[in-house]
Amino acid sequence: MCVAVGSVALLAACDDGGSRRVANAAPAESGKPNILFVMMDDVGIDQMTSFGYGGVNPPKMPNMDAVAQSGIRFRNTWAQPECSPARASFFVGRYPTRTHIYQALGPNDLANAQLSPYETAIPKLLRKAGYESAMFGKFHLAGPENNQADITTPALFGWDYFYGWIGGLPESVDLQAGGVVPGGTSNQCGFVPGVTAVDGAATGACHFPDNSCTQMIKNAPEQDVAGLQCLAAGGILVPGASCADPKPAGLDFSRYNGYYVSPLVILEQGQAEKVLPRDPRARGYRTTIETDAAIDWINSRTPGKPWMATVSYTSAHTPWQQPPGALMPGLVGGGADEYVNAEIFNNLTCTSDGTPPAMLRMQELQNRMTQALDTEFGRLLVETGIATWNPDGSLNYEPEASNTLIVIIGDNGSLGIAVKAPFDPTRAKGTAYQTGVWVPLIVAGRGVAEPDRDVEHMVNGVDLFELFGELAGIDVRQELPVSRPVDSVGIQAYLKNPAQPALRQTNFAISGLNQQADGGRNGPCVVPTVGGGGTCMQIATSKSVCGDNSGFWWGEGHEDLAPWDGDNAIDSYDTCAQVNQVRYGNNNAAQMYTIMPDQSVAVRETRYKLVRNTFKRFDPAKGIHDEVEYEFYEVDQAKGTPLLDENGMSKINLDGTPMPGWTLADDLAYKDLKDRLDRLMLSAVVCEGDGNIDGVVNQADLDNWNRIHSSWGKSSVYDFAGATPGSLPDGYTNGPDQDVVSLQLGKTCVYPPSVY
């Protein structure tokens, strides 16, 4: 397999897909298209020049731009504000109010907050139409923690093959670079940096887990520093050493390292293999691993049998870490200044203190990871025969030459520190503001009428569920149980008819807290902001994830580093409100942190948008208390200068009373959207006892409880209560849960319809 992508000559050399193009161009025996579904992580619409944005320093994405120019750009698409709820909505066509996945899954989230094994995901539906389905990269929908299926969860939802990471997130960057760098020494991003940085090296011995060794040296401007060369190859660099020297005793090939070393799972027909860090398959740049696995599977398909391949890229999620330089267009093959620039950024640190220079460095890292994703996406298309390289190294994508329909989407808005102007970094990922939910959606392929056009009508990520069904010739509403309605709208009509009127009149997004044992929640994490202070959020699923986002952790394992906190007896905190209470109590002059909402909900129609945020806050006069705030905006998707829901632009006060200039049109729209929001929130029904979500509590539920209780006994969708009556789920499937089912036997559940 050709993986070289660093220059025009090498790009051309990788075009070995002539026979593959013929095979891929052939229509399936059923006439159904193949589906290539590509998800980008934390890449909001603010990053995309093809959609009219990107700011002054956008990531270079020529391959996705080429596909966007040959297809349809849906310029008014919302996803959910965080990855797990958004991804679940793509595959089951239901909002978080129905799946009960409200934020990114973490190790403490119960099975009740994971995708239910009784949901009908799109791979199960496509199987009925003869499709094979595979996923590569980040799963992050269910398990492995608090789930009886452990690392086999993709099989529950119909995937025939999976190659990637069940939990999804990369591990933290190894600051000791495999044990080479002593603890406490300044190290750059998981590898020994170049000679311009502290502890750097121009050359070294690159050792591998199989005891082999290769001498690494940076002897040309376009090359990565020796440490990054070695890391990308799967090794650990001993700086300044020769392979003839004795191998140091401290090298540790079991250490995780961001995007370069982490255990993965290979799952085929329900049989799972866990690949540990010493295995070469678990070592190398993650975006390349994801791409290689997808290429291998697609090229091994039986000609004429339709398939759906989901390439769920982890990039550009934190922790941010330099990709191999060969994957970054504009650096390799560029001028001398770009080589110098590359050397500087090979010596970056991978954390930020919130100062403008540090934030710019982090933005550059994120840009490079996004650019590397785009490079590997182009290779994916070429090596599977969906596209070719032009002589100048650009992508030659001809939709009619392949029987594969391409769907590309961002899973949520960009992380605040990476947001491009004029979008708002304080209202980004994790919130229901425009910067947090507005994502790029591209659809291209054979049968798309009048390509290179924009669709300005509202689309929601849930609509992909119905689109995939339409492409396969399946009426998803006929195939699903009638008890629980879906929230998706079929959007295939936009592909066929450029004049298609709007199919959706309402858009909706929500973020919140996931179900944890006994009402627990993620610990508080404070991310620094420019100018001092910080924002306290409860999105980070652990102390390490908080650190990966340049945050300071206040949850379990909190370290008393601040003078005003050193004498406090409490060493961990449950809520951001408690953190502010401690700050205020120990130093009245201390600035309290801004708190992100526990729940952020938004609903939109063509012109107006309503946002409702719910907080747990501390106030010296009120103590810790709950607050609900409403905001009401005019928004649009104008290219370059969109009308956003920015601070100070709301047409109402936080208590819902009108601001000066309130018009009759404002009043009617506000009341209408508030009604839509209330009706959408009513769909958050939990029908106790109905663990298999078929709409009725019956003997099947008792049988399911008994099976899970006997074989597992821990967290499951049949964990309805704790040890005492009326208590919250406790992470066990036991007697109190059987009592709930027994008491509800014969009950029929009523699930409110959606609002489109």
Side-chain angles (χ1 to χ4, degrees):
M1 177 181 298
C2 181
V3 297
V5 291
S7 68
V8 170
L10 290 175
L11 286 170
C14 282
D15 185 6
D16 61 351
S19 61
R20 293 173 184 165
R21 283 194 299 278
V22 173
N24 215 334
E29 295 174 358
S30 60
K32 300 179 176 69
N34 302 319
I35 302 170
L36 176 61
F37 180 35
V38 175
M39 285 185 280
M40 302 180 290
D41 202 319
D42 289 2
V43 179
I45 202 169
D46 63 293
Q47 306 289 326
M48 304 288 289
T49 58
S50 58
F51 282 76
Y53 309 109
V56 297
N57 182 32
K60 299 175 182 177
M61 305 180 71
N63 297 320
M64 288 199 178
D65 290 349
V67 175
Q69 290 164 8
S70 300
I72 299 175
R73 297 168 295 273
F74 289 88
R75 295 194 62 260
N76 194 357
T77 301
W78 278 13
Q80 301 307 309
E82 295 188 45
C83 47
S84 297
R87 290 160 186 263
S89 74
F90 300 160
F91 291 114
V92 301
R94 293 186 167 108
Y95 291 137
T97 50
R98 301 189 196 276
T99 63
H100 306 126
I101 308 174
Y102 290 103
Q103 64 182 163
L105 291 177
N108 297 319
D109 292 334
L110 299 180
N112 311 59
Q114 302 174 25
L115 194 61
S116 168
Y118 298 101
E119 284 280 9
T120 304
I122 200 65
K124 281 187 179 179
L125 284 180
L126 294 190
R127 186 177 290 167
K128 296 181 179 182
Y131 277 75
E132 296 176 291
S133 296
M135 179 187 278
F136 309 92
K138 176 178 175 176
F139 186 64
H140 214 192
L141 295 173
E145 296 89 2
N146 293 315
N147 196 304
Q148 186 176 9
D150 194 35
I151 62 173
T152 68
T153 48
L156 298 178
F157 306 106
W159 275 283
D160 302 300
Y161 187 76
F162 175 80
Y163 195 111
W165 295 268
I166 301 298
L169 298 182
E171 305 291 342
S172 297
V173 171
D174 178 14
L175 298 181
Q176 293 183 257
V180 172
V181 179
T185 305
S186 175
N187 177 249
Q188 313 288 321
C189 297
F191 58 90
V192 175
V195 293
T196 59
V198 178
D199 308 316
T203 185
C206 183
H207 291 273
F208 297 93
D210 64 358
N211 293 318
S212 63
C213 179
T214 300
Q215 197 71 29
M216 293 289 181
I217 184 170
K218 177 179 170 61
N219 54 18
E222 66 269 21
Q223 284 186 305
D224 289 321
V225 296
L228 183 53
Q229 289 182 50
C230 180
L231 181 61
I236 298 174
L237 187 81
V238 180
S242 165
C243 285
D245 298 332
K247 179 181 176 182
L251 301 188
D252 186 355
F253 292 97
S254 65
R255 297 177 71 96
Y256 303 153
N257 193 349
Y259 271 72
Y260 286 92
V261 184
S262 58
L264 58 84
V265 170
I266 302 173
L267 179 66
E268 188 165 14
Q269 301 301 331
Q271 299 299 309
E273 176 188 6
K274 190 169 185 177
V275 182
L276 299 177
R278 294 186 65 91
D279 191 309
R281 293 173 294 176
R283 309 183 71 86
Y285 189 57
R286 183 177 284 215
T287 306
T288 297
I289 292 172
E290 293 161 338
T291 304
D292 284 345
I295 290 169
D296 289 344
W297 185 83
I298 291 171
N299 286 337
S300 67
R301 296 307 88 209
T302 302
K305 184 174 178 62
W307 50 261
M308 178 177 178
T310 297
V311 185
S312 178
Y313 282 118
T314 311
S315 190
H317 198 286
T318 54
W320 292 336
Q321 195 173 22
Q322 290 92 330
L327 299 182
M328 294 180 289
L331 293 177
V332 177
D337 290 342
E338 289 178 319
Y339 290 144
V340 172
N341 188 47
E343 174 67 19
I344 290 172
F345 285 109
N346 277 335
N347 291 314
L348 280 177
T349 56
C350 288
T351 58
S352 170
D353 59 7
T355 61
M359 294 184 73
L360 287 174
R361 291 197 302 268
M362 298 303 287
Q363 277 207 1
E364 178 66 23
L365 275 178
Q366 194 263 5
N367 274 0
R368 291 180 174 222
M369 293 177 70
T370 305
Q371 291 170 184
L373 181 159
D374 182 79
T375 300
E376 290 293 57
F377 168 72
R379 183 169 69 88
L380 170 66
L381 297 189
V382 170
E383 294 198 17
T384 55
I386 299 172
T388 61
W389 297 121
N390 289 315
D392 64 356
S394 62
L395 189 72
N396 176 27
Y397 172 61
E398 299 177 2
E400 297 299 320
S402 168
N403 189 46
T404 299
L405 194 89
I406 303 172
V407 179
I408 305 169
I409 195 169
D411 67 343
N412 46 248
S414 301
L415 187 67
I417 199 171
V419 167
K420 305 296 192 294
F423 290 80
D424 190 343
T426 68
R427 298 186 162 203
K429 175 185 175 180
T431 74
Y433 295 110
Q434 289 293 88
T435 308
V437 301
W438 191 6
V439 298
L441 172 61
I442 300 166
V443 180
R446 180 185 294 176
V448 172
E450 295 185 20
D452 193 16
R453 60 182 166 95
D454 297 327
V455 171
E456 305 289 344
H457 301 307
M458 287 185 294
V459 173
N460 192 284
V462 294
D463 299 337
L464 294 183
F465 175 75
E466 199 149 343
L467 172 63
F468 295 143
E470 290 174 320
L471 295 173
I474 297 172
D475 186 332
V476 299
R477 295 174 186 277
Q478 285 188 349
E479 296 292 337
L480 294 177
V482 296
S483 59
R484 294 175 66 244
V486 295
D487 299 300
S488 62
V489 172
I491 60 173
Q492 188 180 35
Y494 291 131
L495 311 187
K496 297 180 176 181
N497 179 13
Q500 174 64 44
L503 297 168
R504 171 179 286 279
Q505 306 303 319
T506 304
N507 225 339
F508 177 73
I510 180 172
S511 68
L513 302 176
N514 282 343
Q515 180 79 64
Q516 297 183 2
D518 303 315
R521 58 167 67 189
N522 296 333
C525 175
V526 175
V527 177
T529 53
V530 175
T535 297
C536 189
M537 61 182 184
Q538 300 199 235
I539 295 174
T541 57
S542 67
K543 183 178 181 179
S544 62
V545 173
C546 177
D548 292 340
N549 287 273
S550 303
F552 178 67
W553 181 250
W554 288 77
E556 186 175 352
H558 161 66
E559 300 171 3
D560 295 325
L561 299 180
W564 37 261
D565 186 36
D567 297 329
N568 196 288
I570 300 175
D571 62 2
S572 64
Y573 304 87
D574 294 328
T575 68
C576 289
Q578 288 179 328
V579 172
N580 273 350
Q581 184 180 40
V582 170
R583 294 202 71 179
Y584 182 85
N586 284 325
N587 183 351
N588 288 342
Q591 177 186 358
M592 291 190 291
Y593 296 127
T594 300
I595 293 180
M596 280 186 64
D598 284 349
Q599 185 186 79
S600 184
V601 192
V603 63
R604 182 191 169 175
E605 42 101 290
T606 304
R607 177 181 174 187
Y608 292 96
K609 177 179 181 179
L610 178 66
V611 179
R612 189 184 75 186
N613 291 324
T614 304
F615 300 86
K616 186 173 290 294
R617 283 177 168 153
F618 168 76
D619 180 89
K622 299 179 182 178
I624 294 177
H625 63 288
D626 294 326
E627 291 183 4
V628 179
E629 297 177 350
Y630 286 90
E631 300 172 37
F632 182 62
Y633 300 93
E634 283 190 74
V635 292
D636 65 26
Q637 60 272 11
K639 290 185 179 181
T641 56
L643 189 60
L644 299 170
D645 41 7
E646 296 178 288
N647 188 29
M649 298 297 291
S650 177
K651 289 176 168 286
I652 58 174
N653 296 299
L654 296 178
D655 62 1
T657 56
M659 296 282 280
W662 188 255
T663 67
L664 177 60
D666 295 336
D667 193 64
L668 293 173
Y670 174 67
K671 291 177 180 177
D672 176 54
L673 283 179
K674 200 166 185 301
D675 175 67
R676 298 191 206 189
L677 178 60
D678 291 341
R679 285 188 286 146
L680 280 161
M681 293 305 294
L682 286 174
S683 64
V685 172
V686 177
C687 185
E688 288 196 328
D690 182 27
N692 61 1
I693 53 177
D694 65 353
V696 62
V697 183
N698 55 18
Q699 185 62 41
D701 292 299
L702 280 176
D703 293 343
N704 289 336
W705 172 88
N706 183 64
R707 173 179 51 80
I708 296 169
H709 171 68
S710 301
S711 61
W712 171 246
K714 300 178 184 179
S715 179
S716 78
V717 292
Y718 280 89
D719 175 18
F720 300 110
T724 58
S727 59
L728 295 169
D730 57 4
Y732 295 94
T733 303
N734 52 18
D737 306 308
Q738 182 188 32
D739 294 341
V740 170
V741 178
S742 298
L743 287 171
Q744 300 294 330
L745 276 177
K747 177 182 178 180
T748 298
C749 306
V750 178
Y751 296 97
S754 189
V755 177
Y756 303 114

